[in-house]
C-alpha cells in the first residue's frame, strides 16, 4: 500500500466514478482501476461496490475512506511543516465558529492564544456546525466551535459546557411583564423566531424539538440566517426567540430563563480524530485557564459542566494538560 493508491481510492470515493477519478488524477482509467484492485487484494476486502451506479462504498470502504483522508491530511501537514521550518515562515491555524459562540468565551480564548503563542497566526471562519465537520475532514479547518452533536466517528468532540437557554421578548409582550423563569408552555400561540435558516440540522432544530416535544402549538415560525437578525425581529415585535444565555446583549429586550432542564445548548470543540497537533492541547489548556478565571458569562446559574457523555469529554477546572508546545498529551480529569 502506498500514498498513490490512497489518493486514487479517495478520488474514486469522492467522484463515485472511475472515469472522473482518472481524469482528476491525470491518469488513464485502466491503471487506476488496477491500483484499486491491488489495494483491495492487499486488504482482503472489497472497498467499492462496482455494480451500483453511481459507485458506492462498502462498509469497509467507508471506514477506509475516513482513515485515508486523515492519513493524506497528515502527510500534507508534514510537508507544510517541513517547508515552514525550512523557509522560516509563521504557522497558521484555521478555527471555525458559529456566531453565537462570539457572545461567550471564544473572543477571550482567541486573545489568550494570541498572547501565549504570538508566532502563530489564527484565521477565524464563520461556519455552521454541520459545515464544520465536513471542513475538518477535508483539512480546510483545524478546529471548530459549534453547538450540534454529530455521530461522525472521524471527528473528536469535547463538550465545553451546557449553556442555559433564555427567551428574548419585546418589552410590549405580556410575557415580559413577569420576571423570573418561564415555562415553555407559555409559548402557546406565540410567533417564534429561529436561527439559522440553513443548513440543517442546526440550533434551530434543537429549539423546535424542545417546543414540539411538549406538544406546544406555536403561531408562526420565522426562520432567519443569524442570531443578530433574530434579535432584531424580536425588537421589532415580530415574535419571541430562544437564545443562549450569553447572547443577552440587546438592552431593548427582556430576557427570561427557560424553566426546563433540557433547555440548554452545548458548546462543542471539534477536531479530527487522533490529531495530535500541539495547538489542540494548547487550546484545551487555555480553556481550562479561562474557566478558572470565572468570567462573568460563566456563572453557574446559566452554565453546567456535564459528566461524561459517550465519547464527548467535558472540561472542568480540575482538568490538567501539559503546557509544553508540541505536546500530544490529552486532557484528563482528576
Amino acid at each position: 500500500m502506498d500514498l498513490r493508491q490512497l489518493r486514487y481510492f479517495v478520488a474514486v470515493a469522492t467522484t463515485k466514478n472511475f472515469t472522473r477519478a482518472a481524469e482528476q488524477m491525470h491518469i488513464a482509467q485502466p491503471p487506476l482501476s488496477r491500483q484499486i484492485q491491488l489495494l483491495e487484494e492487499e486488504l482482503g476486502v472489497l472497498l467499492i461496490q462496482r455494480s451500483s451506479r453511481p459507485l458506492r462504498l462498502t462498509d469497509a470502504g467507508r471506514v477506509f475512506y475516513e482513515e485515508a483522508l486523515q492519513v493524506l491530511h497528515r502527510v500534507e501537514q508534514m510537508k507544510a511543516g517541513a517547508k515552514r521550518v525550512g523557509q522560516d515562515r509563521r504557522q497558521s491555524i484555521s478555527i471555525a465558529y458559529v456566531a453565537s459562540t462570539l457572545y461567550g468565551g471564544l473572543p477571550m480564548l482567541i486573545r489568550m492564544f494570541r498572547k501565549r503563542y504570538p508566532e502563530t497566526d489564527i484565521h477565524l471562519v464563520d461556519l455552521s456546525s454541520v459545515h464544520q465537520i465536513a471542513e475538518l475532514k477535508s483539512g480546510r479547518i483545524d478546529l471548530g466551535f459549534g453547538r450540534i452533536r454529530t455521530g461522525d466517528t472521524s471527528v473528536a468532540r469535547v463538550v465545553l459546557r451546557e449553556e442555559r437557554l433564555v427567551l428574548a421578548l419585546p418589552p410590549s409582550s405580556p410575557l415580559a411583564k413577569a420576571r423570573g423563569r418561564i415555562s415553555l408552555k407559555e409559548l402557546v400561540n406565540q410567533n417564534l423566531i429561529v436561527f439559522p435558516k440553513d443548513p440543517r440540522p442546526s440550533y434551530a432544530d434543537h429549539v423546535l424539538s424542545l417546543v414540539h416535544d411538549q406538544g406546544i402549538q406555536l403561531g408562526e415560525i420565522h426562520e432567519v440566517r443569524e442570531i443578530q437578525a433574530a434579535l432584531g425581529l424580536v425588537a421589532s415585535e415580530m415574535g419571541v426567540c430562544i437564545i443562549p444565555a450569553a447572547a443577552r446583549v440587546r438592552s431593548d429586550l427582556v430576557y427570561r430563563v427557560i424553566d426546563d432542564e433540557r433547555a440548554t445548548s452545548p458548546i462543542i470543540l471539534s477536531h479530527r480524530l487522533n490529531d495530535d497537533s500541539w495547538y489542540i492541547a494548547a487550546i484545551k489548556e487555555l480553556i481550562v485557564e479561562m474557566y478558572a478565571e470565572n468570567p462573568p458569562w460563566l456563572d453557574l446559574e446559566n452554565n453546567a459542566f456535564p459528566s461524561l457523555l459517550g465519547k464527548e469529554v467535558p472540561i472542568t477546572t480540575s482538568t490538567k494538560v501539559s503546557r509544553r508546545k508540541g505536546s500530544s498529551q490529552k486532557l484528563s480529569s482528576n
Side-chain angles (χ1 to χ4, degrees):
M1 183 187 308
D2 57 34
L3 292 178
R4 177 187 56 174
Q5 290 175 320
L6 293 184
R7 292 189 175 98
Y8 289 168
F9 172 72
V10 167
V12 173
T14 303
T15 62
K16 298 181 173 60
N17 184 283
F18 277 99
T19 301
R20 286 197 294 273
E23 292 172 351
Q24 184 181 97
M25 301 304 297
H26 305 291
I27 185 178
Q29 181 178 333
L32 180 141
S33 300
R34 178 58 180 160
Q35 289 301 320
I36 300 297
Q37 184 180 359
L38 290 173
L39 185 59
E40 291 177 318
E41 290 175 0
E42 179 180 348
L43 295 172
V45 295
L46 281 177
L47 300 174
I48 300 170
Q49 295 179 354
R50 292 166 173 78
S51 58
S52 63
R53 291 293 182 273
L55 297 176
R56 292 175 54 193
L57 298 180
T58 63
D59 290 342
R62 283 190 289 272
V63 172
F64 192 77
Y65 173 66
E66 300 292 348
E67 297 292 339
L69 284 176
Q70 293 189 47
V71 170
L72 293 175
H73 174 72
R74 184 59 181 148
V75 169
E76 292 304 313
Q77 282 186 319
M78 291 164 56
K79 290 164 59 178
K83 289 179 180 178
R84 186 166 50 249
V85 172
Q87 299 171 7
D88 193 26
R89 284 160 43 190
R90 293 168 61 91
Q91 181 175 10
S92 65
I93 60 174
S94 294
I95 299 178
Y97 63 91
V98 294
S100 60
T101 58
L102 293 176
Y103 297 109
L106 186 59
M108 181 178 179
L109 176 63
I110 298 303
R111 291 195 302 271
M112 293 173 68
F113 187 94
R114 283 179 165 156
K115 183 176 181 180
R116 181 75 56 84
Y117 305 104
E119 74 284 359
T120 302
D121 291 326
I122 293 181
H123 298 285
L124 294 176
V125 185
D126 185 353
L127 278 178
S128 70
S129 298
V130 173
H131 284 155
Q132 286 182 21
I133 302 304
E135 296 296 274
L136 278 170
K137 292 163 65 175
S138 71
R140 284 187 281 269
I141 64 170
D142 301 298
L143 295 165
F145 290 87
R147 288 190 178 273
I148 301 300
R149 292 182 172 90
T150 71
D152 197 308
T153 56
S154 64
V155 174
R157 294 168 299 279
V158 179
V159 176
L160 305 182
R161 67 180 186 277
E162 291 278 351
E163 187 175 3
R164 187 166 292 283
L165 301 180
V166 303
L167 186 66
L169 300 153
S172 61
S173 170
L175 299 179
K177 306 306 178 188
R179 290 295 185 266
R181 299 196 172 198
I182 185 171
S183 168
L184 282 172
K185 295 186 181 299
E186 295 190 54
L187 295 182
V188 172
N189 296 325
Q190 292 287 321
N191 294 336
L192 183 64
I193 301 162
V194 297
F195 63 91
K197 186 175 184 179
D198 53 51
R200 308 296 270 270
S202 71
Y203 173 79
D205 297 293
H206 174 56
V207 167
L208 290 173
S209 68
L210 287 173
V211 176
H212 292 156
D213 286 351
Q214 296 199 23
I216 298 169
Q217 295 296 318
L218 297 170
E220 296 180 359
I221 297 176
H222 300 281
E223 298 182 350
V224 297
R225 295 193 179 278
E226 57 182 6
I227 186 172
Q228 294 89 344
L231 293 177
L233 290 183
V234 174
S236 302
E237 302 182 355
M238 295 294 294
V240 301
C241 184
I242 295 175
I243 63 172
R248 294 174 289 183
V249 294
R250 289 189 66 129
S251 60
D252 56 346
L253 300 179
V254 174
Y255 303 98
R256 296 183 64 186
V257 176
I258 296 174
D259 190 16
D260 188 321
E261 290 184 357
R262 299 172 304 160
T264 63
S265 176
I267 294 182
I268 302 172
L269 168 63
S270 300
H271 59 82
R272 284 174 290 275
L273 190 66
N274 299 325
D275 187 348
D276 60 354
S277 299
W278 69 268
Y279 50 77
I280 296 176
I283 285 285
K284 290 178 179 179
E285 177 190 10
L286 288 174
I287 291 170
V288 172
E289 293 180 16
M290 180 175 67
Y291 282 9
E293 291 185 19
N294 241 349
W297 45 265
L298 200 63
D299 59 294
L300 292 179
E301 180 184 355
N302 293 311
N303 292 276
F305 303 91
S307 13
L308 193 65
L309 297 173
K311 293 184 179 180
E312 299 172 348
V313 184
I315 291 182
T316 70
T317 52
S318 64
T319 307
K320 295 181 179 179
V321 63
S322 169
R323 293 192 60 176
R324 181 172 59 85
K325 178 177 175 179
S327 170
S328 61
Q329 289 186 0
K330 306 294 184 182
L331 285 167
S332 60
S333 299
N334 289 341

